[in-house]
Amino acid sequence: MARNDKRRHHDDPSPDPHNKRKRSTFASHLDVPNLPPTIKTLCEIIANTPSPTVEDVLDKTLIRVSQETVEQVLRFSYSHPGPAVKFFRWSAYQLNDKHSPYAWNLVVDLLGKNCLFDAMWDAIKSMKKENVLSLATFASVFSSYVVADRVKDAITTFDVMEQYGCKHDVFALNSLLSAICRDGKTIDAWQFLRVVDGRIKPDNDTYAILLEGWEKERDVANAKKTFGEMVIEVGWDPDNVPAYDSYLITLLKGRDGIYETVNSLKRMMERGCNPGMTFFKLAFEECLKGQNLRGAEFIWSAMVGRIGFRPDTHMYNMMISLYCYSNETGAAMKLLDEMVYNGAFPDIQTYNILFEFLVKGRKLWEASGLFNEMVKNEHVLNHENCRAAVRVYMDSDDPYVAIKFWKYMIENHCSDLSETGNLLVAGLCDMHMLPEAVKYAKGMAEKGIQVTPFALSKLKQILIKARKEAVYEELLKKCKAH
């Protein structure tokens, strides 16, 4: 594909109208700020110049290119395959036909992703002459065919790659299977593995690729079959963590999710094999969705006690939430106390979920202590928890703590305050705390928070009884003024 190549059949490749990919899916130089001026100029020429005149326009720029320049420009020129190939040939003249293998691979990929397969194979033949073909080249071809829904052509490419000097080994096989599985066609990959059975021995990566494919497709039945085959073919290997992750995650999504997952995890650990953090995070999410505390406890014990992983804050939050939903706030508080020692620090979610359930369970002494710790650590109690605290502490005949939460609420939240404020005022009236009731009603009025007719009627009744009609009239004027 040098500039003086006399074959003209693919000199001006243009996108196949049947190409299922939209041009907008390709990366563009417009997406990257602060590109070097030379790269930006060359990309703009390719994007805005018809193929027949690209080389003339490039000549007039007097720009000198390096191999790295060519690579960068090609990366951003997938939407313009014709001009991009012309640029590649033009730059070869400056580089004495010494393009980098990566630049060649970009051309092959660019043509393939635009479904220009004849031109792509011409480039591959040129690469063979230049002795720059590699497995990476064919990995690109596999991907391009699969994305174009031409899996059979991808397999044919695998069959002929030895003619181009690339070996039929497990690395090539895995590259093909990966391309097929990434596009949601795992069944085709699995069937092809049977075709090459006896010729190429699969390895851990082979099965990890297939299991990841079944995971994405949520195919529990085929994941079980593949996992069984893997155990027979390559055995139990502690290093095969990606395969174990994908298998267990697939089970999580099945009908008997947590139950099957826990049983498989037990079996796995008995053989000295463990999944990774990817699985554990998703497992806790599934346990939280299904409110499955016992399953989560087993998985937590396996992760922390047996494997020695250190949970992060998000994982602690999920476990704390599960304990709270199961009304086991004592266990949740215990986790809060231990998380700092494991390098995880409570965040706003940690405190709010715990506070919510402590208040619901009327564990008000613990809730107050938690609130003080939360404020000290500069986290904000959410609106709903503030409202619940005022209500519950008033119901528990602890108006001064309720007032403390009301003050905090109006300092940290600026909307939807009327309901809570009126609840406080009415409650103070019922407790015959007249000065406080008047004080906080006035404060509400001054802040533009509506004092409801119900709260005003309570205030009126108690103030008239105390012969303080003037105080009520003053309060009423203040409410109307604001």
Side-chain angles (χ1 to χ4, degrees):
M1 290 182 65
R3 190 179 180 186
N4 60 357
D5 193 331
K6 300 299 183 184
R7 293 173 302 161
R8 308 305 296 173
H9 184 63
H10 299 297
D11 270 9
D12 186 17
S14 50
D16 188 328
H18 302 294
N19 182 5
K20 296 195 295 184
R21 278 185 179 270
K22 295 181 180 178
R23 290 163 66 98
S24 59
T25 61
F26 297 132
S28 164
H29 67 285
L30 299 174
D31 302 326
V32 182
N34 304 318
L35 270 179
T38 298
I39 305 296
K40 185 177 180 181
T41 298
L42 292 171
C43 287
E44 287 177 348
I45 290 171
I46 291 169
N48 299 304
T49 309
S51 291
T53 58
V54 166
E55 290 171 295
D56 289 338
V57 174
L58 290 168
D59 282 336
K60 291 174 183 176
T61 64
L62 302 178
I63 290 174
R64 305 297 298 175
V65 298
S66 64
Q67 288 185 340
E68 292 75 16
T69 302
V70 174
E71 292 166 2
Q72 280 194 277
V73 171
L74 289 173
R75 281 174 51 216
F76 297 121
S77 300
Y78 273 57
S79 293
H80 312 283
V85 170
K86 286 293 186 72
F87 163 75
F88 182 75
R89 290 172 174 162
W90 171 83
S91 57
Y93 182 75
Q94 288 191 24
L95 299 173
N96 296 319
D97 290 333
K98 294 295 181 184
H99 278 300
S100 68
Y102 179 49
W104 276 105
N105 284 337
L106 284 169
V107 169
V108 168
D109 195 55
L110 179 152
L111 292 168
K113 293 302 185 291
N114 282 283
C115 294
L116 298 166
F117 296 117
D118 288 342
M120 178 189 76
W121 279 104
D122 279 351
I124 291 170
K125 290 169 187 173
S126 296
M127 290 180 73
K128 183 182 179 183
K129 291 177 185 176
E130 297 288 331
N131 198 30
V132 290
L133 276 172
S134 66
L135 178 56
T137 312
F138 285 96
S140 164
V141 177
F142 299 152
S143 172
S144 295
Y145 274 131
V146 172
V147 167
D149 205 20
R150 294 172 62 168
V151 174
K152 288 183 179 179
D153 287 320
I155 291 171
T156 301
T157 300
F158 178 84
D159 290 336
V160 304
M161 62 188 292
E162 281 195 321
Q163 299 173 22
Y164 291 84
C166 287
K167 291 191 297 183
H168 273 162
D169 57 17
V170 70
F171 301 108
L173 172 65
N174 290 345
S175 181
L176 172 63
L177 299 183
S178 180
I180 296 172
C181 291
R182 276 199 309 271
D183 206 58
K185 301 178 175 71
T186 307
I187 190 66
D188 293 325
W190 195 28
Q191 289 170 350
F192 183 68
L193 181 59
R194 283 165 165 65
V195 172
V196 297
D197 185 32
R199 286 194 287 146
I200 303 173
K201 183 174 175 56
D203 64 5
N204 285 346
D205 287 343
T206 310
Y207 289 104
I209 290 164
L210 290 170
L211 287 166
E212 185 179 352
W214 296 133
E215 176 198 338
K216 289 177 180 175
E217 296 171 36
R218 300 192 172 203
D219 192 329
V220 176
N222 279 323
K224 288 180 179 178
K225 292 176 185 176
T226 301
F227 190 82
E229 287 181 15
M230 180 186 77
V231 172
I232 294 169
E233 289 291 330
V234 300
W236 292 94
D237 184 347
D239 293 331
N240 202 7
V241 173
Y244 302 140
D245 271 350
S246 289
Y247 178 58
L248 292 175
I249 291 168
T250 307
L251 294 182
L252 278 175
K253 307 294 184 182
R255 188 175 56 186
D256 299 318
I258 300 298
Y259 175 78
E260 273 202 299
T261 303
V262 167
N263 286 336
S264 293
L265 178 58
K266 288 178 181 176
R267 180 181 169 215
M268 200 176 282
M269 291 192 301
E270 285 168 1
R271 287 157 177 79
C273 298
N274 302 306
M277 269 299 208
T278 302
F279 158 72
F280 285 113
K281 288 182 179 180
L282 287 171
F284 289 121
E285 288 176 6
E286 289 300 314
C287 287
L288 188 57
K289 286 178 190 174
Q291 301 290 291
N292 191 324
L293 176 59
R294 298 307 160 223
E297 284 183 321
F298 174 81
I299 294 168
W300 185 271
S301 175
M303 178 182 72
V304 178
R306 168 119 185 202
I307 303 174
F309 285 159
R310 300 179 76 179
D312 59 17
T313 298
H314 178 56
M315 298 173 86
Y316 268 108
N317 285 347
M318 287 189 282
M319 201 66 195
I320 286 170
S321 297
L322 271 166
Y323 276 122
C324 287
Y325 290 135
S326 300
N327 296 316
E328 296 188 28
T329 51
M333 289 293 287
K334 189 176 178 181
L335 279 182
L336 175 69
D337 291 338
E338 79 172 41
M339 62 190 293
V340 174
Y341 295 102
N342 283 323
F345 295 91
D347 62 9
I348 189 169
Q349 182 183 346
T350 319
Y351 286 116
N352 272 292
I353 190 72
L354 260 171
F355 186 89
E356 175 187 344
F357 282 90
L358 287 172
V359 167
K360 281 181 179 178
R362 300 291 173 129
K363 296 183 177 181
L364 302 186
W365 186 84
E366 292 92 337
S368 291
L370 183 71
F371 173 72
N372 292 335
E373 179 184 329
M374 184 179 189
V375 171
K376 181 180 176 182
N377 291 329
E378 299 182 343
H379 292 298
V380 177
L381 193 67
N382 66 34
H383 186 283
E384 184 56 39
N385 276 337
C386 289
R387 181 162 56 186
V390 172
R391 183 188 312 112
V392 170
Y393 280 100
M394 289 298 292
D395 289 345
S396 302
D397 295 326
D398 200 343
Y400 292 107
V401 177
I403 288 169
K404 172 184 172 182
F405 278 101
W406 169 246
K407 289 179 177 178
Y408 178 86
M409 188 177 187
I410 59 177
E411 285 176 8
N412 290 276
H413 300 284
C414 57
S415 62
D416 196 18
L417 300 171
S418 177
E419 179 187 342
T420 306
N422 283 287
L423 183 149
L424 176 69
V425 169
L428 291 171
C429 289
D430 292 338
M431 292 178 180
H432 303 288
M433 297 176 66
L434 184 55
E436 288 84 357
V438 172
K439 176 182 176 181
Y440 291 105
K442 283 183 177 179
M444 287 173 63
E446 288 167 358
K447 290 182 180 294
I449 302 169
Q450 181 189 16
V451 182
T452 63
F454 176 74
L456 283 171
S457 69
K458 286 216 166 206
L459 283 163
K460 181 179 181 181
Q461 183 181 3
I462 195 170
L463 285 168
I464 289 174
K465 189 175 181 180
R467 298 184 177 182
K468 293 185 177 181
E469 292 89 345
V471 175
Y472 174 73
E473 292 300 328
E474 180 189 350
L475 175 62
L476 190 60
K477 285 180 183 178
K478 196 176 286 278
C479 289
K480 290 179 178 178
H482 288 86

